[in-house]
């Protein structure tokens, strides 16, 4: 008797509670709702909170100017957020909930290439457009999906620009060492750099991988030091990069060009390393000093940066900016289509060009932004200097890590 | 625990009632609730499987995630080779069986804490192998699996019923084991392994058999999961947290009983959903508090406490330790 | 080069030893697996970082403050929360500490956020016989070994220490001899937390800290204790150094991405072939 009660009751309880939860939400006014799974706890908590900030910047700005003009009416924007705890399974569950219970109009992809790919499956199933603001590997977009739109242009383009840049600045550099974190994006971009560098005549003297959770790089660095590279290209997330730079220093390594990807572009990298970050180069999909103009919100990159700083007391990186731009592009599509229906908006997203403070965005046939505007950065004396593109650069490349 | 046709009839009716309830729920619920119901079923399957090794036999296994991931990848690989889904699931079950037999013969010589730690290590090693053996698993990038054709609702219903079918199978297996000589042998092993050996029970065979049964059920669940979500990654399916949550669920319901795993899974999943939806920043803390509360208030599991309360209310004196 | 690899292995190995010794002691005496151990290390690291950065106290002193705080925290946790379940089956204690760890970890993420923080110290390196030794790591190694040695000495030669060992050998007999076992449990747990904080302090100088590291530290502690022998202090030392060397050479032999796996795989091997560990005693379960 107890058994039957237990099981029956709990199943009904679950149903009742979840139904209650969903009705509470739909009682609100009729805004345009963007469903956002965010990794606010767990291993991606740092990145998740950055994405949240970027999203909020867009929603607040649009609501401040009265909302989105949909045909004849003005509709406000609302972000429906859940924490997926950096776990893919949860992210998938949340997207399911956003689609069937909260009935959101559009979706924001979770952080990173892996989770984006996993949840894109559902967006496709339900035919709801999903904007990905943190996935750059073309492996994410290879499933011929119609509803996934990625703000970040392909990492391959980034790799090519970087190789060409350094080859031009330092023609005598011949040997490159590549060291990558074994995770979708860091591994993909390292592979692309390696392939392209080899094509351009570089000699790949070291090519290795490391797992997350590695606490000591001394041995690998010892090997790399022995190979005497001119260019050390290392990828990973911020923690490992900090450790690698520190251990390079304690081993007395001196390399003309050191590029660290994904993580080195965040101000925390420089804050944690202090003087050791000097002359480390990196790359980004955007930087506050870009001169892009925007007619939908914020006016230009400078205004955006100022507003961001006022609200969050720190400088925005490409991650927050991409999140803002992603939301912006979605809402602009609604305005241009004059409707919030998924089909109309999807058509707009697939065909239109958007000029935002983040840069020009036009989605290619596979859903990824095909306008490439990579920025090459270098930390000089605690400041991030833009080295490329030439029309927005703020300084010149300085070789030597540590500086000579 | 009386035999007799009346008790059997009663149980048959209860079972039929439950099956009707589950089916009705599935057919009437929206897609999200359907998904939640499928997740609940999956948890129930894992709990029932774990109960054989951890509840009946008393061996604290954290290997659940290892089998789950193994099944997911075997299923995924078969489907990517254009194998039909049914074949993928059977292959996963077979793989789980073989792996359990091998692993079991190695690890089941250990006891207590050592066994526990060994099983955790297996999960970690499997995950890293999946991460690095790109040609087979796609590596850290993950593996896409062909999506089941049809509307989200149709697919949802399919997997809902598939998972609950697994629950029925796992439950039947558990019930059969509980009432058989095999189950009795397992319970002897839990009480005192050396004594069990001395009264002539082939302890090693029994242990491996339990491990194999448990492993094959979990692997099949993994394959169904993989077909359902259509994209798997090593860190997602070889997740130690899964291995830890399952014993907690069983404990909540009552380890070593037949229905305990079901009750525990249901309670835990509902609690987790409630907490997660409503307390976005503090949900792990609150989950932690719930776990602590369980340990202090219902350490033997909800089922046994419930039985004790009911018995005392009915005026009967508690006789021995009851079932299990 | 081989000398450098050995040196690297030993440097990180002694950090590992300090990391695991508290975990090992708690297991040996209380017979529970303390899932909070990783979080204790992280908490100790944070205390070290904050004292150092905001109050300008030297890292060494900050680490010691961390040790003190964690000792009290551990003592109280054991006395009021864990004491109830000490003699219970492994699942209960494991799950309880797991639940407590969820609480602690969540609190830390809220308090400190997941952004990595470091102690920026630049002590440079010293080169001897062609082998480069970073001074920060060297200092961490010395601290780790000193504390481990101190603990070992205290266990053998102080009254408290001997009471702890008595309880480890046979808690019933110890109780009969008049030793207040619950108090010993609490003190041991406190000491375990203290050693975790010390390891955290040492880590803070070497590695950027986030609350998410607690699972990494816990995992390593498992491996180290199994390799060296669960429950003994010399075991943690042997296990730590062994793991350090293993990872060091494993990275070179198989590639960096396998170095963590090598540790776990070997752990399984040791478990199966010699459960008492490389330095443990047989039957010390």
């Amino acid at each position: 008797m107890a058994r039957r009660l237990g099981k029956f009751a709990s199943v009904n309880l679950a149903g009742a509670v979840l139904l209650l939860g969903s009705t509470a939400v739909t009682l609100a006014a009729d805004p345009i709702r963007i469903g956002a799974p965010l990794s606010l706890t767990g291993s991606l908590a740092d990145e998740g909170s950055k994405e949240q900030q970027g999203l909020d910047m867009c929603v607040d700005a649009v609501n401040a100017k009265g909302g989105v003009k949909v045909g004849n009416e003005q509709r406000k924007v609302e972000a429906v957020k859940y924490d997926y705890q950096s776990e893919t399974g949860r992210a998938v569950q949340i997207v399911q909930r956003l689609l069937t219970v909260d009935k959101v109009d559009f979706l924001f992809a979770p952080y990173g290439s892996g989770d984006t790919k996993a949840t894109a499956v559902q967006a496709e199933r339900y035919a709801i457009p999903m904007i990905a603001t943190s996935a750059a590997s073309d492996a994410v977009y290879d499933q011929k999906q119609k509803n996934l739109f990625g703000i970040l242009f392909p990492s391959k383009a980034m790799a090519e620009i970087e190789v060409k840049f350094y080859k031009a600045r330092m023609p005598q550099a011949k040997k490159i060492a590549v060291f990558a974190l074994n995770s979708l994006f860091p591994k993909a971009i390292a592979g692309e750099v390696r392939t392209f560098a080899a094509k351009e005549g570089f000699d790949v003297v070291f090519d290795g991988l490391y797992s997350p959770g590695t606490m000591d790089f001394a041995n690998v660095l010892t090997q790399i030091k022995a190979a005497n590279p001119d260019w050390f290209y290392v990828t990973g997330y911020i923690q490992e990069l900090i450790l690698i730079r520190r251990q390079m220093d304690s081993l007395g390594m001196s390399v003309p060009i050191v590029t660290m990807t994904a993580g080195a572009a965040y101000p925390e990298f420089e804050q944690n390393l202090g003087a050791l970050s000097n002359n480390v180069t990196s790359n980004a999909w955007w930087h506050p000093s870009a001169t892009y103009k925007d007619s939908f919100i914020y006016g230009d990159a400078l205004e955006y940066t100022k507003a961001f700083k006022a609200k969050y007391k720190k400088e925005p990186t490409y991650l927050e900016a991409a999140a803002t731009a992603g939301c912006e592009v979605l809402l602009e599509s609604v305005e241009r289509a004059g409707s919030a229906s998924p089909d109309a908006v999807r058509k707009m997203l697939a065909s239109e060009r958007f000029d935002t403070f983040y840069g020009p965005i036009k989605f290619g046939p596979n859903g990824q932004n095909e306008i490439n505007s990579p920025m090459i950065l270098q930390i000089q004396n605690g400041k991030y200097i833009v080295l490329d593109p030439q029309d927005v650069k703020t300084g010149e490349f300085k070789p030597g890590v540590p500086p000579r | 625990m009386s035999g007799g046709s009346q008790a059997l009839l009663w149980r048959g009716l209860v079972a039929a009632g439950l099956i009707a309830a589950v089916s009705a729920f599935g057919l009437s619920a929206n897609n999200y609730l359907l998904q939640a119901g499928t997740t609940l079923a999956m948890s129930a399957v894992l709990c029932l499987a774990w109960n054989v090794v951890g509840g009946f036999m008393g061996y604290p296994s954290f290997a659940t995630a290892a089998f789950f991931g193994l099944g997911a990848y075997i299923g995924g690989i078969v489907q990517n080779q254009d194998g039909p889904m049914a074949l993928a699931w059977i292959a996963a079950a077979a793989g789980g069986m073989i792996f359990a037999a091998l692993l079991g013969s190695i690890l089941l010589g250990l006891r207590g804490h050592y066994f526990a730690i060994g099983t955790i290590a297996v999960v970690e090693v499997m995950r890293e192998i999946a991460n690095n053996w790109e040609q087979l698993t796609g590596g850290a990038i993950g593996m896409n699996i062909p999506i089941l054709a049809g509307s989200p609702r149709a697919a949802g219903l399919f997997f809902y019923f598939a998972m609950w079918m697994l629950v029925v199978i796992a439950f039947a297996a558990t019930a059969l084991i509980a009432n058989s000589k095999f189950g009795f042998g397992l319970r002897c092993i839990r009480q005192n392994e050396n004594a069990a050996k001395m009264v002539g029970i082939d302890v090693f065979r029994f242990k491996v058999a339990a491990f194999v049964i448990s492993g094959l059920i979990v692997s099949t669940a993994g394959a169904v999961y993989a077909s359902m979500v259509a994209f798997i990654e090593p860190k997602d399916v070889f997740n130690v947290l899964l291995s830890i949550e399952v014993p907690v669920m069983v404990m909540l319901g009552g380890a070593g009983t037949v229905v305990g795993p079901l009750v525990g899974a249901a309670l835990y999943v509902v609690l987790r959903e409630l907490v997660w939806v409503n307390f976005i920043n503090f949900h792990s803390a609150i989950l932690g508090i719930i776990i602590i509360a369980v340990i202090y208030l219902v350490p033997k599991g909800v089922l046994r406490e419930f039985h004790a309360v009911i018995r005392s209310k009915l005026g009967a004196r508690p006789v021995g330790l009851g079932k299990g | 080069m081989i000398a450098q690899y050995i040196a690297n292995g030993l440097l990180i190995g002694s950090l590992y030893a300090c990391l695991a010794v508290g975990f090992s002691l708690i297991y040996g005496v209380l017979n529970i697996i303390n899932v909070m151990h990783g979080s204790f290390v992280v908490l100790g690291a944070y205390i070290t970082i904050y004292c150092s950065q905001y109050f300008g106290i030297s890292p060494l002193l900050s680490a010691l403050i961390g040790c003190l705080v964690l000792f009290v925290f551990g003592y109280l946790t054991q006395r009021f929360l864990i004491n109830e379940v000490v003699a219970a089956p492994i699942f209960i204690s494991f799950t309880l500490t797991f639940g407590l760890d969820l609480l602690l970890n969540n609190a830390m993420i809220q308090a400190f956020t997941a952004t990595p923080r470091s102690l920026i110290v630049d002590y440079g390196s010293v080169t001897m016989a062609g082998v480069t030794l970073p001074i920060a790591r060297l200092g961490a190694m010395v601290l780790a070994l000193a504390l481990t040695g101190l603990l070992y000495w205290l266990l053998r030669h102080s009254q408290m220490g001997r009471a702890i060992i008595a309880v480890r050998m046979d808690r019933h007999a110890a109780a009969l001899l008049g030793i207040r076992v619950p108090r010993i449990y609490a003190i041991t747990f406190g000491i375990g937390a203290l050693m975790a904080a010390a390891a955290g302090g040492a880590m803070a100088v070497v590695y950027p800290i986030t609350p998410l590291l607690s699972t990494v530290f816990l995992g390593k502690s498992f491996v180290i204790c199994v390799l060296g022998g669960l429950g003994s202090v010399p075991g943690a030392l042997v296990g730590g150094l062994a793991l350090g060397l293993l990872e060091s050479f494993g990275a070179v032999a198989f590639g960096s991405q396998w170095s963590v796996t090598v540790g776990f795989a070997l752990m399984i091997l040791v478990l199966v072939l010699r459960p008492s560990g490389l330095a443990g005693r047989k039957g010390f379960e």
Side-chain angles (χ1 to χ4, degrees):
Chain A
M1 176 82 159
R3 302 166 224 150
R4 171 165 63 160
L5 267 178
K7 190 152 170 238
F8 199 67
S10 53
V11 165
N12 266 359
L13 180 63
V17 162
L18 292 168
L19 233 71
L20 266 174
S22 58
T23 34
V25 172
T26 51
L27 276 176
D30 196 21
I32 295 181
R33 299 160 85 234
I34 302 179
L38 296 163
S39 54
L40 297 174
T41 55
S43 54
L44 298 171
D46 203 20
E47 290 83 350
S49 75
K50 287 185 156 81
E51 274 204 320
Q52 183 180 43
Q53 289 168 347
L55 180 58
D56 287 342
M57 284 293 283
C58 166
V59 172
D60 293 344
V62 170
N63 282 339
K65 69 168 186 166
V68 182
K69 192 158 172 311
V70 186
N72 284 332
E73 52 175 11
Q74 289 279 122
R75 290 172 71 180
K76 292 258 174 172
V77 183
E78 183 193 328
V80 183
K81 307 173 193 163
Y82 291 104
D83 176 14
Y84 69 91
Q85 301 167 264
S86 307
E87 277 181 45
T88 312
R90 278 224 181 279
V92 171
Q93 237 186 318
I94 291 189
V95 169
Q96 180 77 278
R97 186 192 166 88
L98 287 167
L99 290 168
T100 50
V101 176
D102 299 298
K103 297 203 177 32
V104 294
D105 300 291
F106 307 105
L107 285 169
F108 228 57
Y111 178 81
S113 301
D115 295 343
T116 300
K117 199 167 186 192
T119 48
V121 172
Q122 282 183 295
E124 196 67 11
R125 266 203 176 126
Y126 284 85
I128 296 280
M130 176 188 262
I131 304 278
T133 65
S134 55
S137 319
D138 46 9
V140 177
Y141 304 94
D142 64 0
Q143 295 294 308
K144 297 204 179 35
Q145 290 159 333
K146 296 205 273 303
N147 288 286
L148 183 63
F149 297 95
I151 297 288
L152 299 181
F153 58 80
S155 46
K156 212 186 288 189
M158 180 72 85
E160 286 181 13
I161 301 266
E162 279 186 297
V163 171
K164 286 212 175 83
F165 179 84
Y166 292 112
K167 184 164 179 209
R169 293 286 176 298
M170 221 183 196
Q172 71 272 34
K174 277 282 162 268
K175 299 193 276 187
I176 181 172
V178 179
F179 190 45
L181 173 67
N182 193 8
S183 183
L184 207 167
F185 170 67
K187 187 167 167 196
I189 192 172
E192 283 146 4
V193 167
R194 181 196 57 229
T195 314
F196 207 69
K199 230 193 283 185
E200 293 285 315
F202 277 89
D203 185 16
V204 182
V205 296
F206 183 88
D207 183 23
L209 286 172
Y210 65 94
S211 300
T214 307
M215 305 216 70
D216 187 27
F217 293 98
N219 282 348
V220 177
L221 290 174
T222 307
Q223 283 180 296
I224 295 176
K225 183 180 175 186
N228 204 14
D230 301 304
W231 187 11
F232 183 28
Y233 197 93
V234 54
T235 69
Y237 294 110
I238 191 170
Q239 239 170 296
E240 287 98 2
L241 295 178
I242 292 175
L243 182 60
I244 290 176
R245 177 67 194 97
R246 279 195 173 164
Q247 291 197 280
M248 281 174 65
D249 176 59
S250 53
L251 286 171
M253 272 179 83
S254 170
V255 185
I257 314 172
V258 173
T259 307
M260 298 196 157
T261 292
Y266 304 150
E268 288 86 2
F269 179 78
E270 187 273 319
Q271 281 158 16
N272 271 281
L273 281 175
L276 282 181
S277 65
N278 233 342
N279 280 5
V280 171
T281 56
S282 184
N283 48 55
W285 279 259
W286 177 86
H287 191 263
S289 62
T291 53
Y292 300 114
K293 299 257 176 294
D294 190 325
S295 56
F296 196 67
I297 47 175
Y298 291 116
D300 62 19
L302 196 62
E303 284 307 311
Y304 174 76
T305 308
K306 246 202 280 186
F308 191 91
K309 264 193 176 131
K311 192 165 178 192
Y312 296 110
K313 314 279 181 288
K314 57 175 177 147
E315 283 235 328
T317 67
Y318 72 85
L319 193 50
E320 292 99 331
T324 311
C327 160
E328 178 184 340
V329 156
L330 200 51
L331 297 173
E332 223 182 312
S333 298
V334 171
E335 245 185 37
R336 290 191 197 177
S339 142
S341 89
D343 290 325
V345 172
R346 191 187 313 116
K347 232 187 264 179
M348 277 298 147
L349 284 170
S351 54
E352 298 272 298
R353 176 193 161 109
F354 303 90
D355 285 292
T356 71
F357 72 92
Y358 171 83
I361 297 173
K362 180 160 185 337
F363 300 108
N366 71 343
Q368 215 176 356
N369 183 9
E370 56 184 13
I371 304 186
N372 305 318
S373 44
M375 305 191 101
I376 298 188
L377 307 169
Q378 186 172 36
I379 303 173
Q380 293 176 0
N381 296 319
K383 288 208 186 12
Y384 281 86
I385 306 288
V386 179
L387 303 178
D388 201 72
Q390 294 305 298
D391 41 349
V392 292
K393 74 172 181 202
T394 56
E396 290 299 333
F397 168 63
K398 288 202 188 132
V401 177
R404 306 219 178 93
Chain B
M1 212 161 105
S2 54
S5 47
Q6 207 180 22
L8 225 65
L9 183 66
W10 191 218
R11 286 198 194 140
L13 281 172
V14 169
L18 283 171
I19 291 176
V22 166
S23 309
F25 180 78
L27 290 167
S28 62
N30 66 32
N31 282 353
Y32 174 68
L33 286 178
L34 204 59
Q35 167 94 353
T38 314
T39 307
L40 173 57
M42 190 173 89
S43 299
V45 171
L46 297 178
C47 285
L48 285 165
W50 184 88
N51 194 33
V52 176
V53 172
F56 291 150
M57 198 166 84
Y59 265 67
S61 162
F62 288 107
T64 310
F67 288 105
F68 188 76
L70 181 72
Y73 270 101
I74 291 181
I77 291 172
V78 169
Q79 279 193 260
N80 274 327
Q81 301 299 323
D82 293 323
M85 207 159 26
L87 182 64
W89 296 358
I90 294 174
M97 245 179 14
I98 299 173
F99 185 64
L102 288 171
L103 190 66
S105 354
I106 300 176
L107 282 185
L108 285 163
L110 302 169
R111 309 253 190 115
H113 289 145
Y114 293 104
F115 178 72
I117 294 177
T119 51
I120 294 183
V122 171
V123 177
E124 297 285 315
V125 171
M126 299 278 286
R127 193 193 60 233
E128 285 302 313
I129 293 178
N131 256 330
N132 289 311
W133 197 352
E134 273 168 57
Q135 298 88 317
L136 193 63
T137 64
I141 297 181
M143 188 193 287
N144 273 90
I145 297 169
I147 305 178
L148 181 67
S151 71
R153 176 132 192 96
L157 277 170
F158 174 74
F159 287 111
Y160 177 81
F161 283 111
M163 266 308 177
W164 278 102
M165 189 69 85
L166 255 184
V167 173
V168 170
I169 296 176
F171 184 78
T174 316
L176 280 171
I177 292 177
N179 291 316
S180 72
K181 244 180 15 182
F182 180 56
F184 178 71
L186 291 181
R187 281 193 278 264
C188 289
I189 294 176
R190 185 183 73 203
Q191 296 275 46
N192 189 329
E193 190 165 330
N194 291 328
K197 237 186 267 191
M198 284 197 275
V199 298
I201 295 178
D202 189 345
V203 163
F204 183 69
R205 272 242 226 110
F206 273 50
K207 288 201 282 193
V208 174
F211 207 60
V212 164
I213 292 172
S214 178
L216 93 85
I217 295 176
V218 175
S219 291
T220 315
V224 176
Y225 172 80
S227 302
M228 187 170 75
V229 295
F231 175 75
I232 53 176
E233 299 177 276
K235 72 170 172 68
D236 176 31
V237 292
F238 287 114
N239 186 2
V240 176
L241 216 69
L242 180 73
S243 277
I244 296 180
E245 276 192 326
V246 168
V248 172
M249 286 191 243
V250 180
M251 254 189 57
L252 178 55
T257 64
V258 176
V259 188
L262 284 174
V263 172
L267 275 173
Y268 186 86
V269 168
V270 170
L271 276 170
R272 192 179 61 192
E273 290 300 307
L274 279 175
V275 165
W276 174 55
V277 171
N278 291 310
F279 297 103
I280 195 173
N281 276 327
F282 292 100
H283 54 75
S284 347
I286 294 182
L287 205 57
I289 294 180
I290 291 175
I291 293 178
I292 298 171
V294 166
I295 304 251
Y296 276 116
L297 302 175
V298 282
K300 292 208 185 69
V302 164
L303 216 54
R304 292 204 185 91
E305 305 289 338
F306 216 47
H307 274 162
V309 165
I310 287 187
R311 241 185 257 120
S312 64
K313 282 253 156 66
L314 290 174
R317 273 210 218 109
V319 179
L321 289 162
K323 191 162 165 195
Chain C
M1 284 256 272
I2 302 258
Q4 182 72 55
Y5 294 147
I6 295 180
N8 290 339
L10 291 176
L11 279 175
I12 191 86
S14 31
L15 270 179
Y16 283 165
C18 186
L19 179 64
V21 79
F23 185 75
S24 194
L25 190 65
I26 290 178
Y27 178 78
V29 177
L30 286 94
N31 210 43
I32 66 176
I33 291 186
N34 177 22
V35 181
M36 286 190 285
H37 184 75
S39 298
F40 283 164
V41 177
V42 172
L43 191 55
Y46 271 120
I47 296 178
T48 309
I49 293 177
Y50 278 112
C51 286
S52 203
Q53 283 185 335
Y54 288 114
F55 299 119
I57 310 177
S58 87
L60 184 62
L61 220 56
S62 306
L64 291 173
I65 294 178
C67 289
L68 213 63
V69 170
L70 261 300
F71 177 80
V72 173
F73 188 72
Y75 185 97
L76 293 173
T77 306
Q78 154 61 16
R79 193 82 171 77
F80 296 110
L81 290 171
I82 301 185
N83 219 7
E84 312 291 314
V85 299
V86 164
I90 162 189
F91 258 122
I92 306 244
S93 54
F94 187 96
T95 313
L96 179 62
T97 50
F98 175 70
L100 285 167
D101 186 52
L102 279 178
L103 245 178
L104 183 58
N105 211 281
N106 202 163
M108 285 202 290
I109 292 186
Q110 289 305 312
F112 303 121
T113 80
T115 314
R117 286 174 211 285
S118 314
L119 259 185
I120 304 189
V121 286
D122 190 10
Y123 297 135
S125 327
V126 59
T127 313
M128 294 195 295
V131 172
T132 316
L133 300 166
I135 301 223
R137 284 203 179 217
L138 210 55
M141 173 170 156
V142 169
L143 176 70
L145 292 174
L147 278 171
T148 309
L150 188 64
L151 181 65
Y152 187 66
W153 187 87
L154 276 172
L155 282 178
R156 304 267 134 181
H157 297 276
S158 75
Q159 196 169 30
M160 177 64 58
R162 290 209 269 203
I164 293 178
I165 293 194
V167 170
R168 182 174 73 186
M169 291 173 96
D170 191 336
R171 69 182 69 129
H172 301 294
L176 285 173
L177 284 171
I179 296 178
R180 276 153 59 199
V181 174
R183 221 187 93 202
I184 297 288
Y185 282 159
I187 290 181
T188 310
F189 204 82
I191 293 179
L194 187 156
M195 294 303 292
M203 287 287 176
V205 182
V206 158
Y207 201 77
I209 302 289
T210 93
L212 313 164
L213 277 176
S214 51
T215 25
V216 176
F217 289 147
L218 183 66
K220 296 249 188 262
S221 304
F222 268 140
V223 178
I224 295 165
C225 287
V226 169
L227 284 181
L230 265 168
S232 80
V233 172
L237 191 59
V238 167
L241 293 174
L243 185 65
L245 287 167
L246 251 173
E247 283 187 353
S248 186
F249 283 102
V252 176
F254 300 113
S256 218
Q257 73 265 38
W258 289 107
S259 62
V260 176
T261 318
V262 162
F264 276 109
L266 227 92
M267 171 173 136
I268 298 178
L269 220 64
V270 169
L271 261 182
V272 175
L273 297 174
R274 197 187 150 84
S276 53
L278 298 169
R281 265 153 284 176
K282 262 226 174 101
F284 218 57
E285 291 186 274

